[in-house]
Structure formats: C-alpha cells, structure tokens
Amino acid sequence: MVHGFGVAGWHFHRNWEDLRRDHRVWAVDLLGQGEAERRALRPVGRHGRRPVKSICRSWPRHPVPTSAGLYYSVDTWTRQLEDFLEQCVGEPVYVAGNSLGGYLAVMLAARRPDLVRGLVLLNATPFWAFRPPRGSAAARGPIWSALADGSVPVPESLKRVIERYWWDKLRAPTTISAMLRLVYADKSGPDPPLVARIVEATEHPGALDAFTSIVLSPKAELSFDELVDRLHCPVLLLYGKEDPWVRPLWGQRLKRRLPTATYLELSPAGHCPHHEAPAAVNKALRAWVAAQERARTQGVAEEGPTGTGIGLAVEESWEVVEADGRVVRVSHIDGRPRGVMEWLDLAVWSVLGRALGAVGGKGADKAGSGTAA
C-alpha cells in the first residue's frame, strides 16, 4: 500500500487491520514523509515481522550530505519501492496506491512489471511535479536553470524564504484541517489524531528540506499517460465520487485508456476512499484480488455475466455499512460518460487526446460503444 502526499503508511491502518486476517499486507512510508523515528516498512500481515534494511527508512540521516545527490522525486520514490519489493518482500505483489501513491504504483508497474501482479488505483493523481525532466531542453531553459535543482540539502537562502512566508502557515493544524475537509466527502471535520500525525511529520529536522525538494524536483521522463500505456497487469480503478481534485472525469478518462480495467466508484467518498470508506474498499479489494488469483492459478481469464469475477455486474452496486453506520454505495461503472460535463470531456479528448498524449485519448472512442470491464 502506497500513500499520498503529506501522510504515511499509517493512513491505511483502517484497511490493514481487517485485511491482515487473510492477506499479507505491507504499507510503506515514502522517503521524506511519515514518522521520523520509525521504519518506513510496516509488515502488518499474518506472517509476522521481518528484518528491514536501511533503504526502507522514511527519513535519511540528517543532515543529508551534499554529495548524496538526493531528490525527493517520483523517480526516487519509485526506486525506493523497487528496492523494498526486491529486498523485503521477494515476490510479485498487488500494489494499491492513493493519490501520489497511485501515480507511483503506475510508474512502478510500467518500469518493473516483474514486481507487480496487479494494480489498485485509489483516486490516483495523473500528474506530479512542475519542473521538466532532468536533461530535457525545457529544464535547461533560463527560468529553471536559475532555480535550485531540488536536490537535498536545499540552499539555506531558499529555505529561509519558504520558512518565513509559507512553511508555518502550510503546516498549521487549522490549514491541514481545512484541506482535509475539502477533500473528504464528510464535511464534519477530520479526526484530531489524523491532523496531529500529519503535523508530527513536519517537525522532523529534515522536513523543510524535503518539502522544498518535492516542490522543485523534476518530473518523470515519461508522462503518466505513457506509463499507463506500458501497463500489462490487471488494474482496479477504485475511485471516490466526491473527490474535488481527482474528479470522476479523471477516472473516466483512465477507464477509457484501460478498457479492460474494472472501475468501481464509491459514494459518498472523497479523495482518500480507503480512509473514509475502509469497509467498502476492503470488500472491493478482496473480491477483485480473489478473482485475479483464480484467473492466475487457472491460467485463464474469468468469464461470466460480471465480466470480472467480482460478483458485481456492470451498472450494479453494493451497499456497504461502515463501522460508524454510514452506508457507502460501490457501483460498477462501464466507462461511458454520464452527464453533460463527462460527454463534453469525451468529445474534447477524443479530438485532442492523441495529439496531447492525455488520459482519454487512446481508446476514448471505445467508451461510447459500451465496452465493459
């Protein structure tokens, strides 16, 4: 399980507490995020704890020497996941990623298909970073050349500016609470322990360096769309419908690009459905992974009225009761646009998608034909 920006592996605790009863579950803290004094590897499965190598620590030793050449970038985090799977797990796995973690899961599966048995994308962000890839013509332009390159340690002069004008405001509990209320479907307010754990990570001595590096580090060499086109493993799209950032049309675009993927939409749920609707997410995860394992061991893809083996036909839904009594609907979506905005999005990206390499370009015309997962 790979978390999003600003949180850590603990963000999946509502999932692993249940899933570990019948699965081996691993949650990783990405470098430069998470809890400073604990190991990034969290082996919470039924097989007990395993020794962890230093590569799995979430924070490098502080201060980081200039010679280290460390960037808190998608490339660094993907290499961390590769090393983790090779050194600590030792076999192909199903990788579930939320937000930034979903982006990294796609990047991992595209680069190292031998390590990934299947992908579960939970409101995966389709873009990350502002700086052009290292070595590109754009990166050598005057604007980017004048800025720090994102490597750690960050120049002290730049850190002082960020600390003076933004840092304390960004990590204030009131700011974090407001941000969480924005991205969660439940607007009653985040639970205080969640806010406290996010704030805790910003108190590490290397946190300001990490934040600045994340902002200034380069993009991956391949776009998200190019990475998606290189996927050869089964994919489950598990998206919260009320996400104001990765809105439903982003899931629709990805479904059109991956017509064989299974697309399940949760409502009410926002940007972090695994945390907001853990029972619904776990039900979907169990059903989908079980279907993939049956297909893998039998050597054939599952057929039948559902088309996916999860026991839920297209346009049907489950109603799952969460621990707090809320009812979450899990709907099997076929990828066809719903409503004016999604039809408009399909029309625009059918024309521009191939030229721009954007999600929804490849295979966009298949969505209108009613092709189901």
Side-chain angles (χ1 to χ4, degrees), residues 6 13 48 96 100 124 139-140 165-166 205 215 261 266 283 323 330 343 362:
H13 74 94
L100 166 62
R140 295 192 296 271
Y165 293 103
W166 296 295
V215 172
L266 287 72
K283 179 180 176 69
V330 182
W343 275 110
K362 177 181 176 182

Side-chain angles (χ1 to χ4, degrees), residues 14 183-186 268-278 322 326 328:
R14 294 175 178 174
V183 300
Y184 276 59
D186 182 2
H271 188 60
C272 306
H274 61 286
H275 191 257
E276 197 167 9
E322 297 291 334
R326 290 178 300 110
V328 175

Side-chain angles (χ1 to χ4, degrees), residues 41-210:
L41 175 64
R42 301 173 186 280
V44 294
R46 56 184 175 175
H47 297 283
R49 295 188 174 273
R50 292 184 173 188
V52 183
K53 298 186 178 182
S54 60
I55 188 67
C56 295
R57 295 191 68 89
S58 62
W59 291 92
R61 298 190 183 280
H62 184 78
V64 177
T66 304
S67 59
L70 174 63
Y71 294 80
Y72 290 111
S73 65
V74 289
D75 186 65
T76 297
W77 290 321
T78 303
R79 291 202 310 270
Q80 177 194 0
L81 295 175
E82 292 172 3
D83 290 341
F84 164 60
L85 291 176
E86 289 181 329
Q87 299 178 25
C88 303
V89 179
E91 61 180 320
V93 296
Y94 292 97
V95 180
N98 171 234
S99 190
L100 166 62
Y103 186 108
L104 298 176
V106 170
M107 193 167 173
L108 172 68
R111 288 182 13 169
R112 292 295 305 274
D114 57 307
L115 298 177
V116 180
R117 190 169 290 171
L119 284 182
V120 180
L121 304 182
L122 299 140
N123 292 69
T125 180
F127 34 74
W128 189 260
F130 302 101
R131 192 186 204 100
R134 279 202 301 268
S136 66
R140 295 192 296 271
I143 296 178
W144 291 111
S145 297
L147 290 174
D149 66 356
S151 62
V152 178
V154 174
E156 288 296 326
S157 57
L158 179 58
K159 283 199 298 184
R160 283 196 296 270
V161 171
I162 293 176
E163 185 172 25
R164 179 176 180 180
Y165 293 103
W166 296 295
W167 181 238
D168 287 337
K169 294 178 182 178
L170 288 173
R171 67 193 187 112
T174 52
T175 302
I176 293 171
S177 295
M179 191 69 69
L180 292 173
R181 279 195 297 272
L182 174 65
V183 300
Y184 276 59
D186 182 2
K187 304 303 181 184
S188 62
D191 55 287
L194 173 60
V195 176
R197 297 190 83 165
I198 295 173
V199 172
E200 178 188 4
T202 69
E203 296 171 350
H204 185 273
L208 182 54
D209 265 303

Side-chain angles (χ1 to χ4, degrees), residues 238-272:
L238 201 52
Y239 278 54
K241 185 178 181 180
E242 284 74 32
D243 186 351
W245 288 351
V246 185
R247 300 177 66 84
L249 62 84
W250 287 104
Q252 293 281 6
R253 290 178 184 175
L254 195 49
K255 168 62 179 172
R256 294 196 294 269
R257 201 172 192 97
L258 296 170
T260 60
T262 301
Y263 183 16
L264 301 181
E265 192 172 75
L266 287 72
S267 182
H271 188 60
C272 306

